[in-house]
Every structure is written in C-alpha cells, then in structure tokens.
Amino acid sequence: MQPVELGSESIGCTPAQIRLLADRNNLPKHARFVSGARNLVKEVTQNFQGLLKGIRHWEYEQVHPVVAELCLLLLVEEAGVDVDRKKRCSLLFRFLQFIDSVEPMRVHYLVLHLLAEFEAVEADHDANLLHLAHALSKCSWRGRPLAVCLLWELLRRRLPSLEITMHRYRELGELAMALSMHPPVVPNADTDDEDESASFSSKDDEKLEVEMVSLLILLEAIEQLLYLLLFGENDELIQAGYPEHFFHLSRPAAECLYDWSLELGMLLPPPDNELAEKLSRSVDNLANIFFNCKMLGSTKNNRSKGELFIDDDEEEDQEPETQLILKPRPLRIA
C-alpha cells in the first residue's frame, strides 16, 4: 500500500510529526534527527531498535507512546523505493511480542492512547487509520485486535448509530443495525435534470470527491473487517479467550447487509471516473459476500484454512461439508 492523495483524505505523515510526537512523550533521543542525514527514517528506526533492548523492564505507561511512535513511523513515505519499510514492520512486530496487545482492556487503552497521540500531531486522518489497520493485521496476530478496533472506530465516525464507549471486538450484527438505522450519505447529484451525467458533473467537484472518498473508506473498512473476522486465522485469539461469536455473521445480519448493499448500489453515481469505479467494485464485492452468507446461513471461520464455512444450527438439512470459499480483494484506495 502506497500513500495516496484523495480529496481531503491522505495517507502518510512527515518526519516532523514523528519528532513532535517524540517531544510530547519525552522520546527525543530515540527519534532524534541527524543534521544532514540522507535517510531520516532509517536513523529513527535504528534509534528505536536500541530502545527496545530494555523493554522487558518497562512499566506499561511507557508502552503507549512508543506504540504510537512506531505506528506513525510506518506511515512515513520516502522518495523512491522505501527499502526500510520492511524493517519498520519488523520493528513493530518485535515490539508486539513483548507487550500485551491481546487482553481486551489493554487493547482498549492502547487504541485510546494511539488515537489521542495521532490527533495531537494531526495524523488521525481516516485514510491513515485504514492503512495502519491493514499494516497491523499483517504484522502479527497480536496486532489484529488493534487493527479490528481501529476499523470499528472508522465505522463509528461515519455511522451515527454505532456507539463505542470501549475499543473492543463487536458482533457484526451491530454493523447491520447501525447501517439500517442511519445509512451513510451517498455521493450523487439529485436534481430533476433528465441528463443524469450532466447533473452529476455540475455538482461542486471538491465536495463530491470528499463525499466519494468518505464512502469509499467506509466500504473498505467494512470489507477489511469482514476479512479479518471471517477469513483470518483466529485460532490464537480464540485460545486467548475471545468468544467465537465475534467471528460469525448470522443469516439475519447478512440479509440486512445484503439489502443495504443492493440499495446503495442503485444510488451510486455512474462509474465515469476512477473513484466512482472503485465505489462500484467495492459495493459489488460486499454484495457478493453478503448474498452468499444470506443464502447459506450463518458463517463460521474455518481457521485452519482461512475459508468460510456453514454454521447454521437452525438448518438441520444443511450438508455439513458444504463450504463457501470467498476470495477477499486487497484494499483499493491505497
């Protein structure tokens, strides 16, 4: 995933933001900048590698700012091929092995502080959080709870009916209910002009792009959340005590989500530009997932193979070996 500019949503941060975050948390020596250095990100990464040597003896209050700093470090984009990006991901992976990022209350406070620190340095754009959730989920299974909570936070920002008082795993039925109560704004020009394409193009371009990007991020967040909960290998989390119902999509919820996706697809603007095409593809992909879940019953993650299987106790005649294999698409806004 590469940083992109889409209207008011951009992915990435600057070295200055890393420095500001370090100064806020008394970490300047670990994020110092060498005057004239050609690779500032490499320098900061090396400094954090030294910092982690004593992590086993840390108090938990010391963990929060470093998590935020390392996450911010992932978002810095350098010119040309960023050969150090894998090193930065490895650094975060190493950090997650030493801290508790799985226990629900720990996860809540980690996400709470992460969002506060990102807001303080003006890096809490929704596109940034979507990108970060993707990176955390790929980094380690221990980063998956943080990723899932960031995705629910993104959904909360766009769905007024979705209330979050604690950053934690939630049942997908909450998403269905929130979408049915207050569907997101659809970027379309609603006029009496018979020429729909003309009326669409007459709308303020900047405002329209912002609305389209906002909806696209919502759809991408939903798609990635489905991928993590229904397609991901979640054995470790279940063994750690996470209830299995977090990794299911019931038939009633699937029916509600499918109906919403159909209605949304009918209201979208014509796919006559790149953003509109991405919106259309995203809605089609979600509709396909919801349709199959709706037809086959409640879904359960087959954690050993990353496939989606039937789990519907109400359907006595259901063949136990019937399976639905869905191929999730990669994120498309980045």
Side-chain angles (χ1 to χ4, degrees):
M1 297 174 65
Q2 299 297 323
V4 294
E5 296 290 339
L6 291 176
S8 63
E9 297 287 351
S10 61
I11 298 177
C13 73
T14 65
Q17 287 171 303
I18 292 182
R19 189 172 193 173
L20 177 59
L21 185 58
D23 290 340
R24 277 175 44 83
N25 294 286
N26 297 317
L27 291 173
K29 66 178 181 178
H30 303 297
R32 64 180 182 271
F33 294 86
V34 178
S35 178
R38 295 182 178 181
N39 193 330
L40 299 180
V41 171
K42 182 177 180 179
E43 180 71 21
V44 174
T45 302
Q46 290 175 345
N47 293 332
F48 270 105
Q49 287 175 336
L51 169 68
L52 296 189
K53 292 180 180 179
I55 190 175
R56 291 183 183 275
H57 307 289
W58 284 12
E59 297 292 334
Y60 208 79
E61 289 71 18
Q62 297 176 267
V63 169
H64 299 145
V66 178
V67 169
E69 193 77 33
L70 290 175
C71 288
L72 201 62
L73 189 61
L74 285 177
L75 297 174
V76 176
E77 181 69 13
E78 297 178 287
V81 179
D82 187 0
V83 296
D84 291 317
R85 185 175 295 279
K86 289 185 178 180
K87 293 182 180 179
R88 286 182 267 163
C89 289
S90 297
L91 193 61
L92 182 58
F93 170 82
R94 178 184 170 191
F95 189 75
L96 291 176
Q97 304 314 301
F98 288 110
I99 68 172
D100 185 354
S101 59
V102 175
E103 194 275 324
M105 190 56 69
R106 294 291 194 188
V107 172
H108 166 68
Y109 282 113
L110 284 172
V111 174
L112 188 67
H113 286 277
L114 174 64
L115 292 172
E117 296 291 353
F118 268 47
E119 181 181 8
V121 297
E122 299 182 352
D124 61 332
H125 309 303
D126 290 352
N128 265 354
L129 299 185
L130 183 61
H131 178 94
L132 182 58
H134 177 76
L136 285 166
S137 68
K138 295 295 184 181
C139 179
S140 165
W141 73 269
R142 300 177 67 87
R144 198 171 301 138
L146 301 177
V148 168
C149 290
L150 285 177
L151 292 171
W152 277 113
E153 169 63 18
L154 283 174
L155 298 181
R156 181 200 67 79
R157 293 182 178 186
R158 283 169 165 72
L159 300 175
S161 298
L162 186 60
E163 297 183 3
I164 293 181
T165 57
M166 178 178 176
H167 299 290
R168 59 175 179 81
Y169 272 61
R170 300 171 182 278
E171 293 188 35
L172 289 171
E174 292 189 38
L175 172 63
M177 182 176 296
L179 285 169
S180 64
M181 293 179 65
H182 291 93
V185 175
V186 179
N188 204 347
D190 187 12
T191 68
D192 296 330
D193 195 329
E194 294 182 358
D195 187 351
E196 294 184 2
S197 61
S199 64
F200 177 74
S201 62
S202 66
K203 195 172 184 179
D204 180 79
D205 291 339
E206 183 177 353
K207 180 181 179 182
L208 180 61
E209 184 181 6
V210 169
E211 291 178 352
M212 293 176 72
V213 170
S214 178
L215 179 58
L216 182 58
I217 289 178
L218 171 68
L219 297 178
E220 295 288 3
I222 293 174
E223 188 172 345
Q224 186 166 341
L225 185 65
L226 291 173
Y227 172 77
L228 291 178
L229 297 180
L230 303 180
F231 299 97
E233 296 182 4
N234 293 298
D235 272 342
E236 297 92 343
L237 292 174
I238 291 176
Q239 291 172 5
Y242 280 67
E244 290 200 31
H245 60 76
F246 286 143
F247 309 102
H248 296 185
L249 178 61
S250 67
R251 172 174 287 181
E255 291 177 345
C256 179
L257 290 168
Y258 177 66
D259 291 342
W260 166 75
S261 64
L262 286 185
E263 182 178 353
L264 177 61
M266 297 176 62
L267 296 174
L268 288 178
D272 54 4
N273 59 64
E274 183 180 0
L275 272 179
E277 289 178 359
K278 289 180 178 179
L279 282 172
S280 179
R281 289 197 301 268
S282 187
V283 171
D284 289 345
N285 194 40
L286 288 174
N288 175 62
I289 295 174
F290 298 143
F291 174 77
N292 284 286
C293 295
K294 168 173 121 59
M295 295 302 295
L296 295 178
S298 175
T299 59
K300 179 179 180 180
N301 185 300
N302 176 30
R303 296 176 295 278
S304 62
K305 297 182 180 180
E307 299 170 352
L308 207 58
F309 276 70
I310 304 307
D311 181 29
D312 194 348
D313 295 334
E314 298 178 357
E315 300 284 342
E316 295 182 358
D317 297 331
Q318 187 74 296
E319 292 293 334
E321 297 300 323
T322 303
Q323 67 179 26
L324 167 66
I325 303 177
L326 298 175
K327 300 297 183 181
R329 299 180 182 178
L331 295 176
R332 287 180 293 277
I333 70 159

